[in-house]
């Protein structure tokens, strides 16, 4: 028997508003504390905002993996919560990007290109970062402006988008980082894999329960 639509809802109407408001407050607190407590303000602002962005991104993926088909047009609290988390992840990432360009690249594309070449060996990799940002912003905008169309788009578009983004995140946290950041990246991907497997197992059980005897 299929689950009733209410089972896909994560809370009462209005929880999405609280999620978004809490996310904005958390971002402001992160920026204020990074400025007030850190000796290397630019480094802490850049690192803490990207950590916050990745946390929201991980939460978004966990929520997305539990959404029912009726949630994707953001007409349910669950769908709106997922969209809010997705938007907050982007907002934190844009703040991170601004901090990186302000404190590390002095708003110079040439400097960012050279820095990318020094770290990764290929300066053109900066264009991948630009593409990452643009694609993410377009996806968030699409979900807000055309939610019905977003809900009915091909599943492969979502798979391709998150495959690309997770590839970039994996390289940024596991391949090119060391120490605590690398371990945090490994835990992040291990946790996401565990949630994905648990979700698949749950859905298979539901389908088995719906099969005719």
């Amino acid at each position: 028997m299929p689950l009733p639509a209410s089972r896909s809802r994560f809370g009462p109407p209005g929880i999405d508003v609280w999620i978004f408001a809490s996310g904005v407050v958390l971002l402001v607190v992160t920026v204020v504390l990074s400025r007030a407590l850190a000796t290397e303000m630019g480094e802490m602002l850049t690192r803490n905002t990207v950590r916050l962005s990745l946390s929201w991104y991980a939460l978004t993926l966990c929520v997305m993996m539990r959404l029912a088909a009726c949630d994707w047009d953001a007409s349910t609290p669950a769908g709106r919560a997922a969209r809010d988390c997705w938007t907050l992840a982007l907002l934190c990432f844009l703040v991170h990007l601004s901090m990186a360009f302000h404190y590390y690249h002095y708003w110079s594309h040439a400097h960012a290109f050279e820095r990318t070449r020094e770290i990764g060996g290929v300066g053109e990799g900066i264009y991948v970062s630009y593409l990452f940002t643009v694609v993410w912003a377009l996806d968030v905008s699409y979900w807000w402006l055309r939610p019905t169309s977003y809900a009915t788009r091909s599943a492969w578009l979502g798979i391709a988008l998150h495959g690309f983004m997770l590839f970039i995140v994996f390289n940024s946290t596991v391949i090119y980082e060391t120490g605590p950041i690398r371990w945090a990246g490994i835990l992040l991907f291990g946790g996401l894999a565990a949630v994905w497997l648990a979700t698949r197992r749950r859905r298979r059980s539901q389908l088995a329960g719906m099969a005719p005897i």
Side-chain angles (χ1 to χ4, degrees), residues 90-211:
L90 173 65
L91 177 61
C92 294
F93 182 76
L94 292 176
V95 174
H96 156 74
L97 204 62
S98 299
M99 296 300 101
F101 264 83
H102 181 73
Y103 289 104
Y104 287 92
H105 307 311
Y106 317 105
W107 297 104
S108 168
H109 165 73
H111 188 278
F113 184 96
E114 184 61 24
R115 178 66 174 167
T116 304
R117 186 190 64 79
E118 291 175 0
I119 296 175
V122 181
E124 287 78 6
I126 190 64
Y127 295 110
V128 178
S129 297
Y130 294 158
L131 178 63
F132 178 89
T133 306
V134 170
V135 167
W136 194 351
L138 287 175
D139 191 73
V140 170
S141 300
Y142 184 22
W143 204 353
W144 279 97
L145 298 174
R146 301 289 299 276
T148 303
S149 176
Y150 189 91
T152 56
R153 69 178 182 172
S154 171
W156 286 105
L157 287 176
I159 293 172
L161 170 70
H162 289 289
F164 168 68
M165 293 185 66
L166 287 172
F167 174 78
I168 300 300
V169 172
F170 183 82
N171 279 276
S172 300
T173 58
V174 178
I175 302 300
Y176 293 114
E177 284 286 354
T178 59
I181 299 298
R182 174 174 289 175
W183 284 109
I186 292 172
L187 288 174
L188 169 66
F189 280 88
L192 290 175
V195 173
W196 180 75
L197 289 172
T199 302
R200 281 181 60 87
R201 192 175 298 115
R202 179 175 64 87
R203 288 180 176 171
R204 284 178 178 174
S205 298
Q206 291 172 357
L207 290 174
M210 292 166 57

Side-chain angles (χ1 to χ4, degrees), residues 2-71:
L3 292 174
S6 60
R7 289 290 298 278
S8 70
R9 299 170 185 265
F10 293 173
I15 192 173
D16 53 298
V17 177
W18 286 105
I19 289 174
F20 196 83
S22 300
V24 172
V25 170
L26 184 58
L27 175 59
V28 171
V29 170
T30 298
V31 170
V32 170
L33 290 180
S34 296
R35 289 176 61 90
L37 302 179
T39 54
E40 294 293 336
M41 183 177 65
E43 179 182 0
M44 291 306 296
L45 281 170
T46 305
R47 287 186 176 274
N48 286 338
T49 48
V50 76
R51 288 166 181 165
L52 194 56
S53 176
L54 287 176
S55 298
W56 281 115
Y57 182 28
L59 179 59
T60 300
L61 290 178
C62 290
V63 175
M64 283 181 170
M65 284 186 277
R66 294 179 58 84
L67 291 182
C70 63
D71 296 319

